[in-house]
Structures are given as C-alpha cells and as structure tokens.
Amino acid sequence: MTQRGILAFSGGLDTSVVVKYLQEEYDMEVITVTVDVGQGDDQKEIEAKAKKLGVIKHYNIDARKEFVEDFIFPSIKANALYQKKYCLATALARPLIAQKVLEIAKKENVTALAHGCSGKGNDQVRFDITLRSGSDLPIIAPIRDKNLDRDTELIFAKKHGIEIDSVAKRFSIDQNLWGRAIEGGVLEDPYNEPPEDAFIWVKTKNLPDTPTYMEIKFDKGIPVAVDGQVMEPIKLIEYVNKIAGEAGVGIVDHIEDRVVGIKSREVYETPGATCLIEAHADLEKMVHTKHENKFKSIIDDEWAYLAYSGLWQDPLKQDLDAFIEKSQNPVSGIVKLKLYKSSLRVVGRKSEYSLYNHKIATYSSESTFDQRMAKGFVELWGIQSTEAIKLQKKLSKKI
Ligand code: ARG
C-alpha cells in the first residue's frame, strides 16, 4: 500500500526539508496543508513551492477568523503572557493548525501525520498532543527523528534546490496575526543586542516626536473598536499592530523556559498584543473587585502556562476558560493608551461597570466616606500580624 503523509507546510526551511525526507527516506506521497493564521505570506507562492517539491496535493486554509475569535480573543480575556512577557503568538496557532491538518487527514485517508518541529522546541509538544487527541495514526517528525540541525538542513536544502530567503538564513522566524517570533543566529548569545534589521513590525529609528493616542473599546472582554471605529476582529488586530509598531511599541526580549526544560532567548515583535493585553488588564482592574483581581491573576498565569505547554484542550484549561468567560461580563468600556517613542502607558479608562466611586475615593470635601470607620477595621486586619511580630521580638530577646 502506498504510504501517504500529511504535513503542515509553511514553505520555510524545516517543512520544505521534511517534504523531501518523507518522499525519499519514508517513501511517501505527501499532501501539504498551509493554514493561514495571518502570517502574511503569499499563499500562491507557498502552493507553488509545495508543488515544486513534488507534493501530490496542496491545501490552503484561511483560518484567520477562527484564529482571532477562538484563540486570540480568549487569550486577551486571560491577559495571557507566558512568564509575564510572551503573548503566545506561536503557541496559540499550533493547536488550530494541527486541528486543520486532522480534518484534511480524515478526508484524504492518509497513513501518517507529519510535522516539521524539532525535538528541542515547544511546537512538537503542541502538534503531537493535538494530533494525538484526534487520531491514532503514526506521527512522523523527521527533524526530531533524525536529529537534524539547521546547518545540516541548509546543506540538504541547497542540494535539493530548495530556496531559502536571506532573513530565514540568519534567523528562525515564526509569525502570525498575534506576533512575530525571532530566534537563532546572533540572538543565541543572550547578551547580544538584536540587530535593528531583525525587526519588521516595530520601528526602532526615527520615531515620531508627538505621542500617539489609541482608544480601545472592549465589550465583555473583547476589543470591538479603536479610536471610535468599530472594526472586524482581523482588521482590528492588524490596525493596532500597525499603529503601535509605528510608535515603536511591542518589542519583547527575554529568557524563556521551554516545556522540554531548555532555556531559550526569545525576541518578539508583538505591538498589537502588547497594547490590547495592557488595555484589557487595566480595564479589569476597574470593573472587578479586589478579590476577583487577586484570584484571576492566578488563573491567568495558569491559563498562559497550559496554552504555552500544548495543553490547549486539557480539562483544566476548559475549566479555566469557563471561569474566565464568566468573569468577562463587566469587562466593557474604553481604555486610552499613550504611545510615545517605544513606551506604552494607560492614561485613562472608563466603564459603565466601573467600581471606582469618586465620592468614596476623593480627598476633597465631596467625600462621603467616614474615615472613622477605618480605625476598627485596621485594628482587626492586623491583629494576627501585630501579635506575631510582638511575640517574635519577645522570643528573640531570650536567645
Ligand atoms: N518560543 C515561542 C514558543 O514556543 C516562539 C517560538 C517560535 N519559533 C518557531 N520556530 N516556532 O511559542
């Protein structure tokens, strides 16, 4: 029986090498699937690349709307930043891409599922777990299975006439609507400052001398309008990416703990995500109680951890989703951002669900808050702490 493999194909170095490997080393017919999650590639060009590599069939799937509505929006609701920094752009796209591959795999009666992930990264975890949750077919990952490194891949690509563009030779890039990840090359020394030309989305030079203001309107945790203009989800994210990028906002550079335990230096351009998460988190503080704020930040951290770690469909993640969804009921309002020479600051917020009460908060004569109530409260609030501190002092004198 002819072996037939299906592969999520980006047209980049790894997945191009994998097509050839599947054909030559595994003696397979290959079907490629390119899932558009807003990476901005020319789909026709990628299809041509796949055909040139000799695939028997190629699929192009536009999953941008699903990506925004079912992955990006929930991540905004969760203020999702892995290790407080990374907006999960790559991590969110992988389960969706794998899901699309599975759908076509069923239709095409394939005998194996393939991906181009290495054994060092997180993407293998996200792909394997999603694929395994929906199929028992063997998973083939030639880069991992054959322990291939990038240098060997580049030589292999050259030998097989696979064209790789010059940026891809210097860095390993992954991008979609939610962000652009830049890895490898000179960035592998964590002390090296990223070269300016690594950045495409965020301006680093000749930034405007006047601040840029952006007013983001949320409805139940979802951004629906910017600067008074209601926008479709995809357009809205593209717009915020563009405006924030032009103001120099959205570069992230940090050391990240991968699922497999390796520490990696990651550089990202995430202008839209940086602004939207900052604005959303700020609005939540205004409409949620102190108790909700404290507890939700724990939930948010766990949500980001699970999404990062390939456990998108885990029951715990579903439970957290239910909590987060319910918590978004009052998260409606407008947040005003000020962007100036790469800095981002929330400078205003308003909401009909605001728990901020001017009459209570004000230091002026308009105050309705009777300060005398506070005395007894503070006494009780600190009762155990003050007892413990006094006791510690007493006992330490004895020693
Ligand atoms: N460290 C990020 C993650 O695991 C981004 C990785 C992007 N690079 C890639 N080649 N897939 O989600």
Side-chain angles (χ1 to χ4, degrees):
M1 196 180 92
T2 325
Q3 295 294 303
R4 178 183 276 198
I6 189 161
L7 169 73
F9 182 73
S10 70
L13 175 65
D14 294 329
T15 54
S16 300
V17 166
V18 169
V19 172
K20 280 282 153 226
Y21 255 85
L22 292 176
Q23 292 164 335
E24 291 181 4
E25 305 256 329
Y26 296 80
D27 205 15
M28 284 187 164
E29 294 182 344
V30 181
I31 295 175
T32 42
V33 183
T34 301
V35 182
D36 186 357
V37 280
Q39 55 271 52
D41 292 333
D42 180 342
Q43 299 296 325
K44 286 262 161 303
E45 226 172 77
I46 293 181
E47 177 160 1
K49 274 188 187 170
K51 292 276 161 70
K52 201 172 154 213
L53 289 165
V55 306
I56 58 159
K57 208 163 178 182
H58 177 82
Y59 283 86
N60 255 328
I61 297 174
D62 182 357
R64 288 175 304 158
K65 191 161 182 289
E66 252 173 292
F67 184 46
V68 178
E69 290 175 356
D70 301 341
F71 293 82
I72 294 178
F73 283 172
S75 82
I76 295 176
K77 293 175 182 173
N79 302 311
L81 292 175
Y82 177 65
Q83 298 192 317
K84 312 268 182 246
K85 292 270 191 168
Y86 167 45
C87 73
L88 304 174
T90 300
L92 295 172
R94 293 302 181 260
L96 175 58
I97 296 171
Q99 200 57 49
K100 295 293 170 200
V101 168
L102 277 176
E103 281 170 31
I104 297 168
K106 297 236 159 74
K107 222 164 65 182
E108 292 285 353
N109 288 317
V110 301
T111 56
L113 309 166
H115 63 67
C117 308
S118 79
K120 303 184 107 179
N122 300 313
D123 287 340
Q124 57 173 340
V125 182
R126 301 160 185 155
F127 267 110
D128 279 8
I129 295 176
T130 311
L131 295 174
R132 207 23 90 241
S133 309
S135 165
D136 290 323
L137 289 171
I139 296 172
I140 301 177
I143 312 277
R144 175 175 68 185
D145 301 346
K146 306 273 175 194
N147 196 23
L148 296 180
D149 56 67
R150 260 181 91 75
D151 298 330
T152 311
E153 283 184 60
L154 283 167
I155 295 166
F156 181 89
K158 199 165 173 203
K159 209 171 96 195
H160 286 81
I162 300 168
E163 282 163 35
I164 302 299
D165 72 49
S166 61
V167 181
K169 276 187 195 145
R170 294 174 53 218
F171 304 108
S172 167
I173 308 277
D174 183 64
Q175 67 182 40
N176 61 47
L177 263 178
W178 203 224
R180 181 168 185 269
I182 315 154
E183 293 178 313
V186 294
L187 303 176
E188 286 182 354
D189 177 346
Y191 200 70
N192 277 347
E193 181 177 345
E196 304 252 327
D197 66 348
F199 301 115
I200 290 182
W201 291 15
V202 179
K203 245 177 121 166
T204 53
K205 282 194 294 249
N206 307 323
L207 292 162
D209 286 324
T210 48
T212 307
Y213 285 91
M214 223 185 323
E215 284 186 339
I216 301 178
K217 183 174 179 202
F218 291 90
D219 182 19
K220 292 192 192 303
I222 291 173
V224 290
V226 183
D227 297 334
Q229 255 183 288
V230 175
M231 291 182 206
E232 288 303 315
I234 299 171
K235 283 268 158 310
L236 185 140
I237 290 172
E238 284 173 347
Y239 180 81
V240 181
N241 268 331
K242 185 170 174 292
I243 302 295
E246 279 165 7
V249 167
I251 292 177
V252 173
D253 181 340
H254 83 145
I255 299 292
E256 196 169 287
D257 287 307
R258 290 188 184 159
V259 183
V260 293
I262 297 173
K263 280 197 189 290
S264 64
R265 193 274 185 92
E266 299 287 330
V267 177
Y268 301 105
E269 293 181 272
T270 59
T274 300
C275 291
L276 290 166
I277 293 173
E278 181 80 15
H280 176 270
D282 185 90
L283 183 58
E284 277 193 340
K285 281 191 176 175
M286 177 174 243
V287 300
H288 280 162
T289 65
K290 171 180 167 180
H291 315 294
E292 286 177 293
N293 282 325
K294 181 166 176 287
F295 189 68
K296 186 167 180 291
S297 75
I298 300 169
I299 300 296
D300 289 350
D301 264 356
E302 189 63 21
W303 193 100
Y305 175 72
L306 294 173
Y308 181 82
S309 311
L311 301 175
W312 181 257
Q313 296 174 326
D314 190 275
L316 175 59
K317 159 79 171 37
Q318 296 175 26
D319 298 342
L320 301 186
D321 274 326
F323 172 87
I324 291 171
E325 192 54 37
K326 167 76 171 57
S327 76
Q328 297 305 291
N329 279 340
V331 189
S332 300
I334 295 178
V335 179
K336 183 163 51 176
L337 301 176
K338 181 176 183 174
L339 301 89
Y340 183 59
K341 293 203 187 284
S342 302
S343 78
L344 167 68
R345 191 148 54 94
V346 176
V347 292
R349 69 287 282 164
K350 60 181 172 186
S351 166
E352 56 177 318
Y353 298 96
S354 172
L355 300 178
Y356 174 88
N357 183 327
H358 183 260
K359 285 213 163 73
I360 293 177
T362 183
Y363 289 116
S364 75
S365 59
E366 282 171 50
S367 172
T368 56
F369 181 90
D370 184 345
Q371 297 176 54
R372 286 166 295 198
M373 292 191 302
K375 188 172 157 51
F377 165 78
V378 178
E379 196 74 36
L380 294 178
W381 172 249
I383 201 162
Q384 290 199 7
S385 287
T386 49
E387 272 310 306
I389 294 161
K390 280 190 224 158
L391 187 62
Q392 279 172 4
K393 283 187 184 152
K394 197 166 116 194
L395 295 178
S396 69
K397 266 185 210 139
K398 273 196 189 162
I399 302 165

